[in-house]
Amino acid sequence: MWLARSRCRWLLAALVIPLLGCSGDPSVARFENYRERLARSIKLDPVDVTPVEPTDRPPRRSLALEATDQSIGLLGFLKLYDCALWKTVGERNSALGKVATASQRLFTELDFLRLAPDCIDTLTARGEDALADQLSTALDIKRDELPIRIWQATLGGEEFEQLWHVPLALGDYDAEADFALEAPLTTLGSWVTRWLNGDHRYDAEAFELALGAVRHGNAGYWLRAAALTQSQLRAAGDTVERRLAGRPLCFDGKANQQARIVLNVVQGYFVGDVQVWASSINRVLYRVMPLHQQLESELDPVQPAAYRLWAATRDTQLAAFAEAAREHVATLQPLLRSCGLLPANGTG
């Protein structure tokens, strides 16, 4: 009985070890499994993987943008008693206002932009020209600096920093969950466009809920997946290139048993596993990234140079992710075609 149980445990371990690979990361294991099987099928040792590292987003503190801190003295504040702006200015100057979050400060600025014009008219009608002029100057500055306030509350904020946090490993990451980012990014983009076009109304609860949903997204996993895919498929492709440069797998363009094994490996472990996994992430990228990039485009004039550089690098890495599988297919084609497993001029 003990021997039977030991044999079962040994068999289970033998099945699990190839699945997990040396790293213990299921996402890495699927690539290692494919690369090793591919190399065995063409009778070569696998080429060592040269790791590709994803580019981390610059820390939030290095992306900080400063806006002018406008204030109205106590006497001026008291003269706003018959303006709706009175409450907004009071909240901004309160102890809580001074420690408000970036989104709360944004709402205060939007209130000021919406309410100040009527207050200026009221002060002018009352003959309070000096205070009216002070408010007019503040209004002009706040209009000009609104994109900075929006940046602070969105792309430059904690939620988007967390969104792009790159994990050390992918684990059993499920890309399907990140389709949920479509709704909050659409909501945020809609509000930002409206504000920049002069409509300063807002829904604080909807905005905060959207930011919260962004915080729980996993865009950093896309960068880790891109780096993993590029490095692993590059190594697999190099193994194929070595075989193509050496003794032919088939002669006279006729498939043999070894060639059929290669085709089974490609179909079962590349097409049926690696490509399925990569495609699930690429589908999310196709739907979600344009919404994120549109938000970036709206705020491009105030983007810090470090963020702009990172975003360009990020987009290059994600584009390479989408191309990696196609490039690997192109590498496989001459090998399969030489064995008559693809049409002479086909693309497979």
Side-chain angles (χ1 to χ4, degrees):
M1 179 69 70
W2 177 86
L3 182 61
R5 289 176 179 172
S6 297
R7 183 175 297 169
C8 287
R9 284 196 293 268
W10 184 87
L11 287 171
L12 285 172
L15 290 171
V16 169
I17 288 173
L19 178 63
L20 294 181
C22 298
S23 68
D25 186 331
S27 297
V28 176
R30 65 172 27 93
F31 283 96
E32 292 180 344
N33 189 32
Y34 167 60
R35 284 194 310 104
E36 290 168 5
R37 289 175 182 274
L38 178 65
R40 284 201 302 270
S41 72
I42 57 179
K43 299 187 179 301
L44 289 175
D45 292 328
V47 171
D48 290 338
V49 173
T50 300
V52 174
E53 282 301 315
T55 302
D56 288 310
R57 176 185 145 127
R60 186 159 40 104
R61 62 181 178 276
S62 71
L63 302 176
L65 296 176
E66 296 299 327
T68 306
D69 188 14
Q70 298 285 318
S71 62
I72 295 175
L74 177 59
L75 183 58
F77 171 66
L78 293 175
K79 292 179 179 179
L80 300 178
Y81 64 91
D82 54 350
C83 288
L85 187 62
W86 181 84
K87 181 180 178 182
T88 299
V89 174
E91 290 175 348
R92 179 68 181 86
N93 293 336
S94 69
L96 289 177
K98 295 183 185 302
V99 296
T101 64
S103 57
Q104 290 167 342
R105 289 195 298 271
L106 171 61
F107 300 149
T108 300
E109 298 299 299
L110 291 167
D111 284 336
F112 189 100
L113 291 169
R114 185 167 48 84
L115 300 173
D118 285 345
C119 192
I120 291 170
D121 290 343
T122 298
L123 291 171
T124 301
R126 255 204 281 133
E128 299 285 356
D129 294 337
L131 185 54
D133 289 343
Q134 184 182 354
L135 279 182
S136 293
T137 299
L139 180 60
D140 290 340
I141 293 173
K142 289 180 183 296
R143 281 193 184 117
D144 291 341
E145 294 185 347
L146 179 59
I148 293 177
R149 297 293 187 182
I150 296 173
W151 163 270
Q152 292 169 335
T154 56
L155 295 174
E158 183 180 352
E159 293 82 6
F160 277 83
E161 181 180 52
Q162 184 61 36
L163 171 67
W164 286 103
H165 173 72
V166 179
L168 294 177
L170 286 165
D172 56 357
Y173 169 62
D174 178 13
E176 297 295 316
D178 280 322
F179 280 119
L181 284 167
E182 282 187 279
L185 287 174
T186 299
T187 296
L188 293 174
S190 175
W191 283 116
V192 169
T193 299
R194 182 179 301 178
W195 296 333
L196 293 177
N197 286 332
D199 182 348
H200 301 131
R201 294 170 296 172
Y202 62 88
D203 182 329
E205 182 179 8
F207 188 79
E208 296 285 9
L209 285 173
L211 284 179
V214 165
R215 176 194 290 273
H216 292 101
N218 295 298
Y221 280 71
W222 308 339
L223 292 172
R224 177 62 68 190
L228 172 65
T229 302
Q230 287 176 263
S231 61
Q232 290 282 345
L233 290 186
R234 187 177 298 158
D238 288 346
T239 303
V240 173
E241 295 283 3
R242 283 175 52 200
R243 182 61 203 241
L244 287 169
R247 183 171 59 88
L249 182 64
C250 301
F251 295 94
D252 298 326
K254 295 180 180 179
N256 53 31
Q257 182 61 27
Q258 198 64 38
R260 294 187 183 93
I261 292 173
V262 174
L263 182 61
N264 287 338
V265 168
V266 170
Q267 291 177 334
Y269 297 94
F270 174 63
V271 177
D273 189 12
V274 168
Q275 269 196 316
V276 170
W277 176 83
S279 294
S280 70
I281 300 175
N282 273 315
R283 285 195 299 273
V284 175
L285 285 172
Y286 181 79
R287 297 236 308 248
V288 173
M289 274 307 294
L291 299 171
H292 192 286
Q293 290 165 329
Q294 178 59 34
L295 183 58
E296 289 174 328
S297 177
E298 294 276 18
L299 297 173
D300 181 71
V302 297
Q303 277 183 23
Y307 182 92
R308 191 176 285 113
L309 177 61
W310 168 77
T313 303
R314 173 205 68 198
D315 289 348
T316 298
Q317 291 176 337
L318 293 179
F321 177 35
E323 288 296 324
R326 283 190 285 269
E327 290 174 358
H328 187 61
V329 169
T331 301
L332 290 167
Q333 284 174 358
L335 183 69
L336 298 176
R337 190 173 292 121
S338 71
C339 293
L341 297 173
L342 288 179
N345 59 349
T347 57

